[in-house]
């Protein structure tokens, strides 16, 4: 067999452009799945994309070079049939949806992706052909036949364990609960079956490769059973990338799609960029597409001598009525309905705060409202406005210096160190967004507790120099705590952090823009300079309006 043996942990391939490749630090590269554009984005898609945005913003604030990629998966039968049903050509359909629905939603949700790849772009399709041709030339692809049950919604041939019985004895896809179609094709196959042992070796040597543990176990069990070769072309329809040596076939949409992670960062076109970005540090995927990312994708990379991603991390599903939320069973609530009511920041925060990443969860209007009111509006927003109001009232808006700090202030500074370290490890490393966010909100609770104990409004009534020094110290301590909270919450809620930054007068006082504040320094006590101009500013989390009647169902 012509397959190359790969050291998957080594760097990238040899430079082909003859240019000297600078060994600047590799970018921290994060991807979302590229989404099918048969319809508009829903809460489930936004969930993964927001998670990736928070993760990459966090790493940017660590001072790392980051690359965040998202995009759309535009070929295959599913898209073709949807376009046909709407009486337009597939390209027209995808152009419209990408521009009118997908890109605008990511802008609306403050997603800072560095690129947006569409699989119909030439920069992608040319490279897909080259990649597949390479595999063919290496003897990794052969011609054969296959017959089996196929789910168009998954764009995948199914094995027996992925099927369930329908009411009339027909076989249904276990994910979509829709009948599978028997498909028989003469097409091309990738020798996936030969990669089982190498994959198992890789999983064993890199236990962090697939997360969470439940996802890893599922993949291990699947690969241990033995892999079948993968059909990688279709000849019964033509909406796809042509197989270069046999244009009567198009490349299987999943092979086409997975390659986006390489083509978008310069594979075969810009070697220097490719080497400084690829492979991904984190592929974020829904658990439904885990096998593609943790089995097929690494095998394709091994076959072509490319390095493997560091981690594939599966998020759970947002559920509706006990089923995975999908096009056919939406809540009837679009992301924009929620942002209109709660605001974009609260939306970004809620799903990551309320659902343990990796587990399934469901949205409830009541739960969102309750958490918004208690944590965002009361604990955090009120704290910010009370502190600003007191600095205004007692010190004319000029932040006083802390000249009489004692044990209570030290305890808070220590608490901040712990919160920052916990959040950094949880969000930045383990993608435990709920744990990281809680650590910051626990700190915010401690700041509230500190004010309740210190009672600055009472201290203010005593005009003695000692009391005034205590008052100054208490308010400085609270404002300095808010400075840190704004920085730590900026990746999750950039809009409110910017408002708070403005209200603390932090940038004008010399700290620079909020996005440039480093996580590594956030717990250094005393960064906010005395003398900063504190203003009341905009309310961070306004009281919620009563939901409209038809929205109240949750
Ligand atoms: N096009 C493929 C992915 C190719 S990646 C090389 C695809 N697209 S998809 O639009 O159907 O879904 C992509 C992803 O959207 C899921 O893997 C998941 O990350 C996210 N979600 C879609 N529905 C979801 C939920 N109900 N809950 C959570 N995430 C969901 O599969």
């Amino acid at each position: 067999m012509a397959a190359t043996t790969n050291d998957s942990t080594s760097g990238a391939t040899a430079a082909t452009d003859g240019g000297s490749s600078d060994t600047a630090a590799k970018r921290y590269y994060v991807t979302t799945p590229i989404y099918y554009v048969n319809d508009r984005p829903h809460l489930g898609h936004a969930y993964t994309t927001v998670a990736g945005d928070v993760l990459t913003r966090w790493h940017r604030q660590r001072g790392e070079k980051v690359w965040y990629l998202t995009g759309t998966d535009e070929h295959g039968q599913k898209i073709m049939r949807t376009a046909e049903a709407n009486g337009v050509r597939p390209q027209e359909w995808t152009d419209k949806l990408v521009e009118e629905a997908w890109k605008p939603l990511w802008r609306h949700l403050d997603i800072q992706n560095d690129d947006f790849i569409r699989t119909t772009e030439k920069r992608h399709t040319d490279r897909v052909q080259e990649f597949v041709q390479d595999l063919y030339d290496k003897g990794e692809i052969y011609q054969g036949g296959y017959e089996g049950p196929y789910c168009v919604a998954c764009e995948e041939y199914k094995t027996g364990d992925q099927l369930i019985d329908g009411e009339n004895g027909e076989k249904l896809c276990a994910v979509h609960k829709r009948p599978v179609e028997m498909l028989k094709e003469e097409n091309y196959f990738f020798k996936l079956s030969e990669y089982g042992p190498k994959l198992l070796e890789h999983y064993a040597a890199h236990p962090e490769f697939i997360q969470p543990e439940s996802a890893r176990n599922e993949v291990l069990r699947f690969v241990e059973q033995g892999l079948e070769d993968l059909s990688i072309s279709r000849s019964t329809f033509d909406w796809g990338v042509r197989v270069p040596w046999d244009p009567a076939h198009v490349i299987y949409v999943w092979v086409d799609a997975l390659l986006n992670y390489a083509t978008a960062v310069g594979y075969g076109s810009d070697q220097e960029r490719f080497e400084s970005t690829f492979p991904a540090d984190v592929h974020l995927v829904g658990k439904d597409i885990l096998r593609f990312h943790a089995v097929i994708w690494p095998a394709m990379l091994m076959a072509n001598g490319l390095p493997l991603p560091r981690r594939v991390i599966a998020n759970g599903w947002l559920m509706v009525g006990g089923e995975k939320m999908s096009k056919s069973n939406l809540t009837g609530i679009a992301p924009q309905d929620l942002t209109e009511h709660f605001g974009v920041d609260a939306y970004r925060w809620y799903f990551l705060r309320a659902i343990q990443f990796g587990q399934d969860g469901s949205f409830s209007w009541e739960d969102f409202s309750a958490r918004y009111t208690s944590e965002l509006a009361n604990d955090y927003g009120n704290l910010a406005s009370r502190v600003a109001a007191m600095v205004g009232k007692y010190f004319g808006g000029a932040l006083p210096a802390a000249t009489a700090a004692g044990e209570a202030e030290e305890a808070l500074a220590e608490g901040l160190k712990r919160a920052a370290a916990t959040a950094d490890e949880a969000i930045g490393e383990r993608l435990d967004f709920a744990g990281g966010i809680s650590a910051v909100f626990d700190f915010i609770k401690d700041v509230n507790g500190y004010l309740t104990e210190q009672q600055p409004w009472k201290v203010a009534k005593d005009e003695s120099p000692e009391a005034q020094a205590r008052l100054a110290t208490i308010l400085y301590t609270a404002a300095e705590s808010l400075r840190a909270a704004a920085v730590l919450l900026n990746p999750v809620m950039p809009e409110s952090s910017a408002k708070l930054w403005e209200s603390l007068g932090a940038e004008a006082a010399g700290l620079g823009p909020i996005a440039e504040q480093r996580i590594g320094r956030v717990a250094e006590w005393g960064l906010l300079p005395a003398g900063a101009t504190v203003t009341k500013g905009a309310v961070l989390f306004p009281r919620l309006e009563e939901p409209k009647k038809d929205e109240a169902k949750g």
Side-chain angles (χ1 to χ4, degrees), residues 412-549:
L412 220 45
E414 283 306 310
L416 170 61
K417 274 193 199 139
R418 279 196 304 277
T422 305
D424 191 28
E425 209 265 326
I427 298 178
E429 297 305 320
R430 289 187 290 111
L431 281 73
D432 172 9
F433 298 102
I437 294 171
S438 298
V440 182
F441 276 82
D442 285 347
F443 171 68
I444 290 173
K445 277 205 179 79
D446 289 346
V447 182
N448 277 308
Y450 167 81
L451 285 183
T452 309
E453 270 170 28
Q454 301 299 323
Q455 306 191 344
W457 48 92
K458 277 202 185 149
V459 179
K461 290 186 182 142
D462 180 344
E463 285 175 6
S464 71
E466 293 77 25
Q468 289 302 305
R470 272 306 296 160
L471 177 63
T473 301
I474 298 165
L475 292 182
Y476 179 84
T477 302
E480 172 63 353
S481 301
L482 284 168
R483 189 264 316 153
V487 172
L488 290 169
L489 291 173
N490 188 49
V492 186
M493 299 189 284
E495 196 183 319
S496 51
S497 279
K499 281 185 191 158
L500 180 52
W501 204 242
E502 177 71 34
S503 140
L504 293 171
E507 182 164 358
L511 286 189
I514 177 90
E516 283 170 23
Q517 307 304 305
R518 294 286 167 261
I519 300 291
R521 291 196 61 198
V522 67
E524 282 177 25
W525 193 258
L527 290 182
L528 187 62
T533 305
V534 177
T535 48
K536 189 104 176 41
V539 175
L540 299 189
F541 299 98
R543 267 176 66 112
L544 296 174
E545 307 272 317
E546 282 298 309
K548 285 177 234 141
K549 245 198 173 138

Side-chain angles (χ1 to χ4, degrees), residues 32-38 42-49 72-74 78 102 153-154 176 253-254 256-261 284-290 292-293 315-320 323-327 329 360-361:
T32 71
I34 48 172
Y35 302 102
Y36 286 129
V37 280
N38 53 317
H42 59 63
L43 298 177
H45 305 122
Y47 179 57
T48 309
T49 309
T72 43
D73 192 354
E74 307 190 5
K78 171 148 82 176
W102 289 80
C154 291
H176 291 94
V253 61
W254 266 102
D256 167 359
L258 288 163
L259 281 166
N260 91 86
Y261 302 131
L284 283 175
V285 301
K287 63 179 184 176
D288 44 328
I289 57 173
L290 182 63
F292 291 100
H293 287 82
N315 61 249
W317 287 340
L318 295 190
M319 310 288 279
V320 185
E323 298 280 332
K324 171 179 176 253
M325 182 183 296
S326 69
K327 176 179 179 290
N329 69 350
D360 294 344

Side-chain angles (χ1 to χ4, degrees), residues 47-312:
Y47 179 57
T48 309
T49 309
V50 167
D53 191 59
V54 171
L55 176 65
T56 43
R57 282 178 185 260
W58 192 272
H59 280 261
R60 281 196 196 100
Q61 277 193 236
R62 276 185 177 179
E64 296 168 19
K65 283 202 219 164
V66 169
W67 197 256
Y68 184 35
L69 176 69
T70 190
T72 43
D73 192 354
E74 307 190 5
H75 290 130
Q77 245 165 316
K78 171 148 82 176
I79 307 281
M80 195 186 74
R81 287 187 187 174
T82 310
E84 274 168 5
N86 285 276
V88 294
R89 288 152 48 93
Q91 187 70 64
E92 225 178 291
W93 177 258
T94 61
D95 285 350
K96 189 174 150 66
L97 272 169
V98 166
E99 294 306 328
E100 291 179 7
W102 289 80
K103 286 184 175 173
L105 178 64
W106 301 151
R107 278 197 295 274
H108 176 63
L109 294 180
D110 263 343
I111 305 298
Q112 272 186 350
N113 52 304
D114 295 286
D115 194 2
F116 187 104
I117 182 126
R118 301 180 53 185
T119 54
T120 49
E121 289 173 293
K122 192 168 158 51
R123 64 165 170 155
H124 174 73
T125 54
D126 283 356
R127 302 288 96 72
V128 169
Q129 287 189 316
E130 286 161 18
F131 185 96
V132 174
Q133 181 74 53
D134 271 357
L135 288 193
Y136 189 61
D137 295 344
K138 286 181 169 138
E140 294 286 337
I141 290 175
Y142 64 92
Q143 196 163 15
Y146 195 82
E147 181 171 11
Y150 191 82
C151 171
V152 176
C154 291
E155 293 282 16
E156 183 184 16
Y157 276 112
K158 295 287 172 179
T159 51
D161 62 334
Q162 295 173 309
L163 298 174
I164 53 171
D165 289 322
E167 278 178 7
N168 306 317
E170 77 280 30
K171 293 288 178 195
L172 307 181
C173 159
V175 178
H176 291 94
K177 312 280 184 305
R178 283 196 240 155
V180 287
E181 301 174 21
M182 280 310 282
L183 223 66
K184 184 177 179 189
E185 285 207 286
E186 271 300 309
N187 41 27
Y188 292 96
F189 285 79
F190 167 53
K191 294 178 177 169
L192 180 64
S193 60
E194 295 185 357
Y195 287 89
K198 279 186 218 152
L199 287 167
L200 290 171
E201 244 171 64
H202 187 79
Y203 305 149
H206 302 275
E208 74 293 349
F209 182 64
I210 306 166
Q211 288 174 28
E213 194 61 24
S214 53
R216 176 178 149 82
N217 290 337
E218 186 209 308
V219 171
L220 285 183
R221 272 199 309 276
F222 175 69
V223 178
E224 278 161 2
Q225 281 168 16
L227 297 173
E228 288 184 19
D229 288 345
L230 177 75
S231 152
I232 58 133
S233 74
R234 300 286 182 269
S235 56
T236 48
F237 63 92
D238 65 356
W239 180 235
V241 182
R242 302 255 170 224
V243 171
W245 64 89
D246 187 350
H249 290 245
V250 292
I251 294 166
Y252 174 39
V253 61
W254 266 102
V255 170
D256 167 359
L258 288 163
L259 281 166
N260 91 86
Y261 302 131
T263 62
V265 294
Y267 169 74
S269 68
D270 182 343
Q271 192 61 23
E272 205 173 315
R273 194 156 73 89
F274 186 63
E275 285 181 18
S276 63
T277 316
F278 198 84
D281 291 271
V282 176
H283 284 307
L284 283 175
V285 301
K287 63 179 184 176
D288 44 328
I289 57 173
L290 182 63
R291 287 183 193 178
F292 291 100
H293 287 82
V295 180
I296 296 174
W297 176 229
M300 281 166 60
L301 291 170
M302 284 178 176
N304 223 358
L306 292 169
L308 305 200
R310 305 245 147 71
R311 292 192 288 171
V312 175

